[in-house]
Amino acid sequence: MVRALEHILSSMSLETDSVAVSYLQLYLESVQDLLAPEKTNIPIVEDPKTGEVSLPGAAIVEIKDLEHVCQLLQIGETNRHAANTKMNTESSRSHAILIIHLQRSLKIKEETTVSIPSDTEHTLPGDLPLVLKSKLLIVDLAGSERIDKSGSEGHMIEEAKFINLSLSSLGKCINALAENSSHIPTRDSKLTRMLRDSFGGTARTSLVVTIGPSARHHSETSSTVLFGQRAMKVVNTIRLKEEVDYETLYKNVENEVDHLTSEMERQQKLRHREKMQLEKRLKESETFLNDLKMISSVQIENLEKEKHQFEYAVKRLMQELEEKEGRNNVLSEKIVHLETSLNEKKQQQLESFSTTQILAETTKTYEKKMGELLRELEEERSRSASMKGHFNVLEQQLSDARSSAQFQENMARELKRELSKITQTFTSQVHSLEEKISQLVSEKELIYGELKSTQAKVQDEASHRQSLEAEVLRLKRSKTDNCVEESKTLCGMVRSGSGLGSEAFMHKSGNLKETLASQRGTISKIFEEVGLPNVLALLKSEELEVQIHAVKVVANLAAEDINQEKIVEEGGLDALLSLLETSENTTIHRATAGAIANLAMNVSNQALIMNKGGARLLANIASKTDDPQTMRMVAGAIANLCGNEKWHAMLKQDGGIKALLGMFQTGHTDVIAQIARGLANFAKCESRVISQGHKKGRSLLIEDGVLSWIMANSTMFPPSTRRHIELAFCHLAQNVENSRDIIITGGIKELLRISKESSRDDARNLAKKALNSNPAFLKEIQ
């Protein structure tokens, strides 16, 4: 399941592809959802037209990466029913089905396209979106069991009955298909209904049967092999499931129409808002003009009144001035008359001394009156001067008022002209908006017409497609009828060597090897036709997908010894190391590390890898990535390099040993298995060199803390990994220089345990040899 999904995710595109999974179990003839345990009785529905089987209500989870897949599978396995029987400690009590839904969107561009302006990208009526749909079912069938062997009791007997019932129904369906029966009993069990496409349908099907060599289970092995033989007679017809995504097309066109309609309504609202604003501004301008006219008229009236008042005041002042001038003339005449009378009186005084005193008094009186008259005359003159100044000020104010009135009249005329211009502009804008609205309405009608024609065209194409599919099915049936005899002959040839004895199994194994050899020959032939330089040139491509496929091809080629020398000679190793250093893609890191691991199996290539800094690059990748599969490839490459004692010092200097120990933090069993294998290779080579006398001193592994790691984790892993760790520790114990470190860390107990309990003879012998030949160890034991 993990490898299938890893392959699918590595070859999918996030833009056009989508992958979703459902994980179900058939328990007691009830379909249950392993990803949503609350869903316990999911119905099985068949489409009457297409015959497609679906499970409405089952959880369908869309996935993006492998980590998410592993989490979902772990959740499903946790919810799956299992029990302890005499045959198996974790016996599956249900059939598990992983359904992988794949969908890829395509487009077929026709010559005629309709361009619709829009801010976003929409599917045009001329671009028909196609959808490729596929469904991958990975099924884990619970094994049939016999009550007397499994020891099932109570509820487990009911579970076994339903398991055997569904498997029996599956066998009946396969027998009916193998015998070309007219009736296939797929409705006898929910398992056969769910897997109807997998046998005799439109799917490509692979069946894996599991058997064992024990004579105790001879009957089960026989029935299983016979079941597989019957299944080989079933012929499936693979059909490409490709259809036009009319729903997406209709939604896109409908969204486009809605978008254009909303855009037109928005334009109409905007224009209506602009019209309202212009009308408001026009009303404000008219109101302002009317107010200005009223204010101007009032000011003109006030100025006219002030003008009349000023004219009246001037006339009155002129009259007063004339009156005062007349009075001044009268006073002047009086003064002249008084002076003449005074002179006459003086003459009379001279003539008559007796009247001198009277004349003097009279003179004084007249002089006093004359002084008063002179003062009044001066006052009247000053008042006349002030009245003239006031009159000049009034004349200036009158001229200013006249100029202000003239300015306001000019301003009123300018406002009238501006108002007329605004009115004309507004009228023209209203006319243009009305024309645009009518144009948009016509465009909307045109779009609706095109939509209706497109819908009619789509319906015609659907009917035409259905007729073509019917014709293709008819042709396929006729072709299938013609090829039945040839298929039967081929199946007979494949089954001719089947049997229950050892010779039959050896024959099958030989056939499998021949098949693998033929596949490898095909790969080599393709490789020779394309040419290694062309494949290596693709490693430098700017497209990531091209680089990924090229690296995978090189990694597959590097698995064959005959291709490794050619890859190195053509510069493939340099290209892989450069790609490992520069790329940031996890898939490229994983495939490149796998290719280098394959090349590192050759001794001559190990020297090139080390001299070119390969160990340093692998250690760097191990420190950066958190992908378990990438770490497994990196650990495998470093483990292969550990098998050459010439490069141990450089491997330690480049951080290879620390990188191995650092990858232990992932907790992934495959990664830890590669780590243990690398440490065993290193310790074995180092022990051999020391025993031959070519090297002395403390082990390089101990300097990097490997001994402490072994003592802390020696019993935590599966048997295969534990055996490698035991071998590494026993080889370290052969070096006398390591005795002190082994004793300090409590390694004597571990050596004693290995010498007695290890499942490998070589590990037990090495442990005994170290204990018996090392005086320090003997002393500690005593």
Side-chain angles (χ1 to χ4, degrees):
M1 293 187 290
V2 176
R3 289 177 178 173
L5 285 165
E6 180 183 7
H7 176 71
I8 291 171
L9 292 174
S10 65
S11 59
M12 69 174 286
S13 173
L14 295 178
E15 297 178 355
T16 59
D17 302 343
S18 64
V19 181
V21 299
S22 299
Y23 201 10
L24 310 169
Q25 70 172 352
L26 182 61
Y27 178 69
L28 298 179
E29 204 60 19
S30 173
V31 181
Q32 301 177 1
D33 199 330
L34 292 176
L35 301 181
E38 66 275 6
K39 300 177 181 180
T40 56
N41 194 10
I42 300 174
I44 301 174
V45 179
E46 296 182 12
D47 192 337
K49 294 182 179 180
T50 63
E52 184 176 356
V53 178
S54 61
L55 298 163
I60 301 177
V61 182
E62 187 171 355
I63 60 175
K64 295 297 181 183
D65 51 31
L66 193 61
E67 183 179 357
H68 188 197
V69 172
C70 295
Q71 292 177 358
L72 294 177
L73 295 180
Q74 186 175 3
I75 292 172
E77 290 300 323
T78 304
N79 295 325
R80 188 176 177 187
H81 287 277
N84 184 11
T85 66
K86 293 181 180 180
M87 303 292 293
N88 194 349
T89 56
E90 292 183 2
S91 175
S92 300
R93 314 308 293 170
S94 65
H95 306 296
I97 303 173
L98 177 69
I99 305 176
I100 305 173
H101 305 272
L102 297 97
Q103 181 169 323
R104 172 169 293 174
S105 300
L106 302 174
K107 288 183 181 179
I108 297 179
K109 295 187 177 179
E110 298 181 351
E111 295 180 356
T112 59
T113 58
V114 179
S115 61
I116 300 176
S118 177
D119 296 335
T120 57
E121 182 182 357
H122 297 280
T123 304
L124 303 179
D127 293 340
L128 297 180
L130 293 182
V131 178
L132 293 177
K133 293 183 178 179
S134 183
K135 184 167 65 175
L136 174 62
L137 277 72
I138 302 178
V139 185
D140 177 21
L141 296 175
S144 63
E145 62 179 62
R146 295 184 178 180
I147 304 302
D148 56 347
K149 290 186 178 182
S150 63
S152 300
E153 296 178 354
H155 183 65
M156 292 174 61
I157 297 178
E158 293 297 322
E159 295 174 341
K161 288 180 181 179
F162 280 103
I163 291 172
N164 294 336
L165 177 62
S166 57
L167 292 176
S168 176
S169 300
L170 180 61
K172 290 179 181 179
C173 291
I174 290 177
N175 288 336
L177 287 167
E179 296 172 358
N180 293 324
S181 175
S182 59
H183 172 66
I184 311 300
T186 56
R187 293 186 172 273
D188 290 354
S189 171
K190 290 187 177 180
L191 177 64
T192 54
R193 290 180 64 190
M194 295 172 67
L195 304 181
R196 190 180 66 178
D197 283 342
S198 298
F199 48 87
T202 63
R204 180 183 285 112
T205 304
S206 297
L207 177 65
V208 179
V209 296
T210 306
I211 58 176
S214 175
R216 180 189 176 192
H217 308 299
H218 180 274
S219 60
E220 288 87 346
T221 302
S222 175
S223 62
T224 302
V225 173
L226 291 175
F227 174 75
Q229 287 181 338
R230 289 193 299 271
M232 292 173 66
K233 296 180 181 180
V234 179
V235 178
N236 284 7
T237 303
I238 301 172
R239 178 171 61 88
L240 178 65
K241 188 172 183 181
E242 179 181 83
E243 61 185 27
V244 178
D245 194 359
Y246 297 110
E247 183 178 357
T248 302
L249 177 62
Y250 178 77
K251 287 182 180 179
N252 290 336
V253 176
E254 190 177 28
N255 291 335
E256 184 67 25
V257 172
D258 293 339
H259 174 74
L260 291 174
T261 305
S262 61
E263 181 66 19
M264 185 175 66
E265 291 177 354
R266 189 180 69 81
Q267 293 289 342
Q268 288 179 352
K269 289 181 180 179
L270 181 62
R271 286 162 186 158
H272 180 69
R273 191 181 299 112
E274 292 178 352
K275 180 180 177 181
M276 296 296 293
Q277 291 178 354
L278 290 173
E279 289 179 352
K280 184 178 179 181
R281 288 178 59 190
L282 181 60
K283 290 181 181 180
E284 290 177 354
S285 300
E286 290 178 351
T287 305
F288 177 71
L289 182 60
N290 294 331
D291 294 340
L292 187 61
K293 286 181 179 179
M294 293 177 63
I295 293 171
S296 300
S297 61
V298 172
Q299 288 181 352
I300 290 171
E301 290 178 358
N302 293 333
L303 290 173
E304 290 292 337
K305 289 180 181 179
E306 289 181 358
K307 179 181 177 183
H308 291 308
Q309 291 177 358
F310 286 148
E311 289 178 351
Y312 177 74
V314 169
K315 288 180 180 179
R316 188 171 58 78
L317 290 174
M318 293 296 292
Q319 290 177 358
E320 290 179 357
L321 184 60
E322 290 176 354
E323 290 176 357
K324 291 201 176 184
E325 286 180 352
R327 290 171 61 186
N328 289 336
N329 292 331
V330 172
L331 290 174
S332 299
E333 291 176 355
K334 286 182 179 181
I335 290 171
V336 171
H337 179 68
L338 288 174
E339 286 179 350
T340 55
S341 63
L342 180 59
N343 291 330
E344 290 177 356
K345 285 182 180 181
K346 283 183 179 180
Q347 290 176 1
Q348 290 178 4
Q349 185 179 8
L350 292 173
E351 292 176 357
S352 178
F353 181 76
S354 59
T355 58
T356 302
Q357 187 174 2
I358 297 170
L359 288 173
E361 293 177 357
T362 304
T363 301
K364 291 181 180 179
T365 304
Y366 280 114
E367 286 178 354
K368 186 177 179 181
K369 288 183 178 180
M370 188 171 66
E372 291 176 357
L373 290 173
L374 289 172
R375 284 195 300 274
E376 290 178 0
L377 180 62
E378 291 295 331
E379 290 177 357
E380 289 295 332
R381 286 178 178 174
S382 62
R383 286 177 64 188
S384 176
S386 63
M387 290 299 288
K388 286 182 178 179
H390 186 58
F391 178 71
N392 292 330
V393 171
L394 291 175
E395 285 183 347
Q396 184 67 31
Q397 291 179 353
L398 181 59
S399 63
D400 292 340
R402 287 175 179 173
S403 61
S404 175
Q406 185 67 27
F407 174 74
Q408 290 179 355
E409 289 178 358
N410 295 332
M411 185 175 179
R413 285 195 293 272
E414 291 291 334
L415 288 174
K416 286 180 180 180
R417 285 196 293 272
E418 184 178 357
L419 182 60
S420 63
K421 290 181 181 179
I422 292 173
T423 305
Q424 292 176 358
T425 304
F426 175 73
T427 305
S428 62
Q429 289 181 353
V430 169
H431 288 308
S432 63
L433 288 174
E434 289 176 352
E435 292 176 356
K436 289 182 179 179
I437 289 170
S438 62
Q439 184 179 0
L440 287 173
V441 171
S442 61
E443 288 180 358
K444 181 179 179 181
E445 293 176 353
L446 179 61
I447 290 171
Y448 276 119
E450 291 177 351
L451 178 60
K452 291 180 180 178
S453 64
T454 303
Q455 290 176 349
K457 184 178 179 181
V458 167
Q459 291 176 358
D460 294 338
E461 289 181 353
S463 61
H464 181 62
R465 182 182 180 84
Q466 290 176 357
S467 62
L468 289 176
E469 288 179 351
E471 183 67 19
V472 170
L473 287 175
R474 186 181 64 77
L475 293 173
K476 284 184 177 180
R477 289 194 191 98
S478 62
K479 184 178 179 181
T480 304
D481 293 337
N482 294 331
C483 296
V484 166
E485 295 299 327
E486 183 179 356
S487 300
K488 290 182 178 180
T489 305
L490 180 61
C491 291
M493 291 176 63
V494 173
R495 294 190 300 273
S496 61
S498 300
L500 299 177
S502 59
E503 294 182 358
F505 291 118
M506 291 176 65
H507 183 66
K508 283 191 175 182
S509 177
N511 290 337
L512 180 60
K513 291 181 179 179
E514 290 177 1
T515 303
L516 293 175
S518 63
Q519 291 177 355
R520 292 175 181 173
T522 303
I523 294 173
S524 300
K525 185 177 179 181
I526 295 173
F527 165 61
E528 291 175 358
E529 291 177 357
V530 174
L532 182 60
N534 294 330
V535 176
L536 295 178
L538 296 178
L539 295 176
K540 300 179 181 179
S541 175
E542 295 180 357
E543 297 184 8
L544 182 60
E545 291 295 329
V546 175
Q547 282 187 339
I548 291 174
H549 289 299
V551 172
K552 289 182 178 179
V553 170
V554 174
N556 289 329
L557 293 173
E560 299 292 335
D561 296 339
I562 191 173
N563 298 327
Q564 292 179 359
E565 184 177 356
K566 296 179 182 179
I567 293 173
V568 175
E569 288 178 355
E570 293 292 340
L573 179 59
D574 295 335
L576 290 173
L577 293 175
S578 176
L579 198 60
L580 192 66
E581 184 175 10
T582 58
S583 178
E584 299 293 334
N585 185 269
T586 303
T587 304
I588 289 180
H589 288 168
R590 180 168 61 251
T592 305
I596 294 174
N598 291 335
L599 293 175
M601 292 187 293
N602 190 306
V603 177
S604 59
N605 294 338
Q606 292 175 357
L608 294 174
I609 293 172
M610 293 300 299
N611 290 327
K612 293 179 182 294
R616 176 181 54 81
L617 293 176
L618 291 170
N620 189 26
I621 294 299
S623 64
K624 290 181 179 179
T625 187
D626 54 357
D627 178 42
Q629 300 302 324
T630 304
M631 289 188 180
R632 181 170 65 88
M633 295 298 180
V634 172
I638 297 176
N640 291 338
L641 294 174
C642 288
N644 193 333
E645 65 275 4
K646 296 180 181 179
W647 309 108
H648 281 183
M650 183 180 293
L651 186 63
K652 177 182 180 299
Q653 184 179 357
D654 290 345
I657 305 304
K658 290 185 178 179
L660 280 178
L661 295 181
M663 287 185 284
F664 168 72
Q665 303 298 327
T666 61
H668 198 276
T669 55
D670 292 340
V671 177
I672 297 173
Q674 294 297 331
I675 295 172
R677 185 174 69 86
L679 297 179
N681 289 343
F682 196 105
K684 182 178 180 180
C685 294
E686 190 179 51
S687 175
R688 183 176 62 250
V689 173
I690 291 174
S691 64
Q692 293 175 357
H694 300 302
K695 181 183 176 183
K696 292 183 180 180
R698 190 163 167 251
S699 174
L700 299 176
L701 292 178
I702 295 179
E703 294 178 2
D704 277 350
V706 172
L707 183 59
S708 300
W709 181 85
I710 290 175
M711 297 306 300
N713 305 285
S714 59
T715 59
M716 293 175 56
F717 306 116
S720 58
T721 304
R722 189 164 62 246
R723 286 195 293 268
H724 283 106
I725 295 176
E726 290 175 352
L727 282 175
F729 180 69
C730 291
H731 281 297
L732 288 175
Q734 305 304 312
N735 187 359
V736 179
E737 300 292 337
N738 301 332
S739 301
R740 181 173 178 274
D741 295 290
I742 293 174
I743 293 171
I744 292 174
T745 55
I748 301 299
K749 294 181 179 180
E750 181 66 16
L751 282 174
L752 290 172
R753 185 193 68 79
I754 294 173
S755 65
K756 297 176 182 178
E757 300 177 3
S758 178
S759 59
R760 290 182 61 118
D761 295 336
D762 53 352
R764 290 199 302 272
N765 294 333
L766 285 173
K768 293 176 181 178
K769 179 182 177 182
L771 290 171
N772 296 328
S773 62
N774 194 320
F777 292 166
L778 292 173
K779 183 178 179 181
E780 288 294 326
I781 294 173
Q782 294 174 357

